[in-house]
Amino acid sequence: MATQDDDVIAVLKHDHREVQEMFARFGEISATDAQERRELADAVIIELVRHAVAEEQYLYPAVRRYLPDGDEIADKEIADHAAAERTMKELEEIDAGEKQFDDVFGRLVFDVQRHVHDEEDNLFPRLATACDAETLRDLGRKVERAKRIAPTRPHPVAPDKPPLNRLVGPGTGLVDRARDLISGRGKGAP
Ligand SMILES: [Fe+2]
Ligand SMILES: [Fe+2]
């Protein structure tokens, strides 16, 4: 469990590990258990959307600010998020009993793993060098807070570039969470 004093890199890496554990669990579910597959896929989507929104609100703006080629890096990461969001939207609309569900889930896993490696191998080490410890801790606190109110469903039509995504975020998060509460979606999600 991430604590309040964790810096932004520790907080985000913790999220990455959680999602990777869910990916591994998905492979262990029987192909005939459509309900369990749906529930786990929903938990993956919830976690990924919250994580992505928090990164877009705080991590990538810091990347733009502190790294000389930050704009280029942030634009690329945001484009990855937008692609993953479209895949998650597809996944929401396919019945978990369909063969196609596996294909789309597999594509999501592949793209997210590549994105995670890119962040952990390139972006995080560079940001750690460019920022002091207090800045990293402050960003960590902001990311934790953003995740608590972030949307839980993919909204691929929402603008992916700040500052517009920040305006879409909170209200959309409220609506998503109300829907989740009523439907019981994501009950087991972290
Ligand atoms: Fe990311
Ligand atoms: Fe990430």
Side-chain angles (χ1 to χ4, degrees):
M1 181 75 198
T3 69
Q4 273 220 314
D5 288 330
D6 281 332
D7 71 30
V8 67
I9 294 169
V11 170
L12 296 173
K13 276 188 175 174
H14 175 84
D15 286 355
H16 291 168
R17 296 295 85 76
E18 236 164 37
V19 167
Q20 285 170 331
E21 275 167 31
M22 286 193 268
F23 285 164
R25 275 204 330 260
F26 190 86
E28 291 158 10
I29 300 175
S30 153
T32 54
D33 197 340
Q35 194 189 334
E36 210 184 328
R37 287 149 65 86
R38 172 86 270 160
E39 280 173 11
L40 189 55
D42 282 346
V44 165
I45 290 171
I46 289 169
E47 181 56 25
L48 282 177
V49 172
R50 295 166 69 210
H51 177 87
V53 168
E55 283 187 342
E56 287 174 26
Q57 286 182 350
Y58 294 107
L59 176 70
Y60 301 147
V63 165
R64 291 185 196 281
R65 181 169 170 195
Y66 295 108
L67 299 183
D69 53 347
D71 280 339
E72 204 182 311
I73 296 172
D75 286 346
K76 193 233 165 238
E77 305 295 10
I78 288 170
D80 284 356
H81 282 195
E85 206 164 358
R86 286 192 294 273
T87 306
M88 288 188 276
K89 186 81 195 158
E90 258 182 80
L91 200 60
E92 273 204 333
E93 285 159 8
I94 303 169
D95 191 293
E98 302 274 325
K99 160 81 182 77
Q100 204 199 346
F101 190 85
D102 271 359
D103 299 339
V104 177
F105 193 85
R107 186 176 358 122
L108 182 68
V109 171
F110 183 84
D111 289 348
V112 168
Q113 295 284 35
R114 196 176 44 187
H115 179 79
V116 161
H117 285 303
D118 186 30
E119 286 183 342
E120 295 196 6
D121 298 344
N122 303 310
L123 191 156
F124 291 171
R126 292 195 54 201
L127 194 69
T129 311
C131 294
D132 60 51
E134 184 42 41
T135 303
L136 293 172
R137 272 198 300 274
D138 181 53
L139 286 169
R141 285 189 286 269
K142 286 175 172 155
V143 160
E144 299 258 37
R145 212 161 45 230
K147 281 189 68 189
R148 285 199 284 274
I149 56 162
T152 64
R153 290 175 185 271
H155 298 278
V157 288
D160 284 303
K161 286 203 176 187
L164 280 178
N165 62 343
R166 303 184 66 144
L167 300 179
V168 181
T172 315
L174 221 59
V175 172
D176 283 353
R177 278 154 201 279
R179 284 176 67 192
D180 291 349
L181 198 67
I182 292 163
S183 66
R185 172 180 178 267
K187 272 195 312 255

